[in-house]
Structure formats: C-alpha cells, structure tokens
Amino acid sequence: MAVERTLSIIKPDAVAKNVIGKIISRFEDAGLAVVAGRMMQLSREQAEGFYAVHRERPFFGELVSFMISGPVFVQVLEGDNAIAKNRDLMGATDPKKADPGTIRADFADSIDANAVHGSDSAENAAIEIDYFFKPEEVTVRR
Ligand code: UDP
C-alpha cells in the first residue's frame, strides 16, 4: 500500500463540541499520523476558494456560512492508503446514513454540520494540502 497524505478539516460544529482530540484519536488509532495542523478562523474568501468546486450547488452559501461560523482545525494526515482510509473513518456525508462507529455517525448533527472534511482523491488531496500549508509546514516522520 502506498503512503499518502490527505487534507482533513475538523469543522466548526465539532470544534464547538470540544471533540478535536477524540476525532484525532480515531485517525491515530487507524494508523494515520498528523504531519501538519493548525487552528484557523477561515475568512469568507478562504472558505469560498476551498469549496469553489461546489460554487454552483444550491447549498454553497450555507456551506460557506457554516465553515466561517467558528474556528476549524486543519491538518494533514499521513499513512498507508490515507485518502480512502480517512473517508472510511469519516462515514457518509449525511450522518443519518453514516455507518455506526464512523466520525460522522458519532459526532455530526446534520448533512451540513457534519464534523469533518476529507479529500476525496489524490489530485484533490494535493490541491487542498497546498491550499492551507506551505511545503515546509508539512513535517517528515522519522
Ligand atoms: N453539503 C451540504 N448539503 C448537501 C451536501 C453537502 O451542506 O446537500 C456540505 C457538507 O458539509 C459536505 C460538503 O458540503 O461535507 C461537501 O459536500 P460533498 O458532497 O463533497 O461531501 P463530503 O465529501 O464532505 O462527504
């Protein structure tokens, strides 16, 4: 299996619930490591740019408002098969449809306030990591 990096965001709803550590434990317990991370209050421009692919979707305005409603924790996760593994740990976009034991089943309230973001492809992971982190901010594990 290839070692990959993926971008993960702990969204404002989960930060407000004070479950950053519990969510990161899910990643670490599954063999993923945090190789970069910071708390951020996204500006409207940053949130719109990050979700630009969804600009034409009906929920875009609400998604941006939600993502700037409070601080987020942005991080880079590294490990074998990190992109798909992170998506599996997150669960389905709608927490009502997420498998039991997934992060969204356990911590999310609704399809919009759904606790976490995770890159959905290698191409998007590279773009999304670059969006928030300079190359030198992503550390190398020893
Ligand atoms: N979203 C929403 N309403 C919807 C679908 C999506 O508010 O009907 C939000 C939700 O926060 C989701 C994000 O838009 O996480 C991006 O949607 P996507 O389909 O890419 O889901 P994800 O990859 O996050 O599971």
Side-chain angles (χ1 to χ4, degrees):
M1 254 186 295
V3 174
E4 295 175 337
R5 289 174 174 171
T6 190
L7 186 87
S8 163
I9 304 178
I10 302 179
K11 294 185 179 183
D13 57 323
V15 172
K17 287 181 184 170
N18 216 19
V19 292
I20 294 173
K22 285 183 178 161
I23 291 175
I24 291 177
S25 288
R26 302 285 178 102
F27 300 134
E28 292 181 333
D29 289 347
L32 299 178
V34 178
V35 293
R38 83 167 81 83
M39 294 297 302
M40 291 183 76
Q41 170 63 57
L42 298 182
S43 66
R44 181 169 293 277
E45 291 68 31
Q46 281 174 315
E48 286 176 351
F50 182 74
Y51 278 119
V53 289
H54 293 309
R55 196 172 286 278
E56 304 307 324
R57 308 275 289 273
F59 56 81
F60 181 72
E62 284 176 31
L63 174 59
V64 168
S65 296
F66 166 65
M67 289 299 289
I68 66 173
S69 67
V72 296
F73 188 78
V74 296
Q75 61 190 326
V76 178
L77 301 175
E78 184 180 272
D80 285 337
N81 211 17
I83 297 163
K85 193 178 273 184
N86 179 37
R87 300 282 302 182
D88 287 347
L89 293 166
M90 288 163 58
T93 309
D94 181 351
K96 290 200 284 293
K97 296 179 183 156
D99 287 340
T102 60
I103 292 167
R104 283 169 165 166
D106 291 345
F107 299 112
D109 297 322
S110 65
I111 193 167
D112 42 277
N114 62 1
V116 280
H117 166 84
S119 308
D120 63 2
S121 66
E123 187 189 0
N124 284 336
I127 293 168
E128 292 178 357
I129 290 168
D130 271 1
Y131 193 80
F132 286 116
F133 294 99
K134 299 188 185 108
E136 64 269 26
E137 291 176 320
V138 183
T139 58
V140 176
R141 294 183 74 202
R142 306 215 177 262

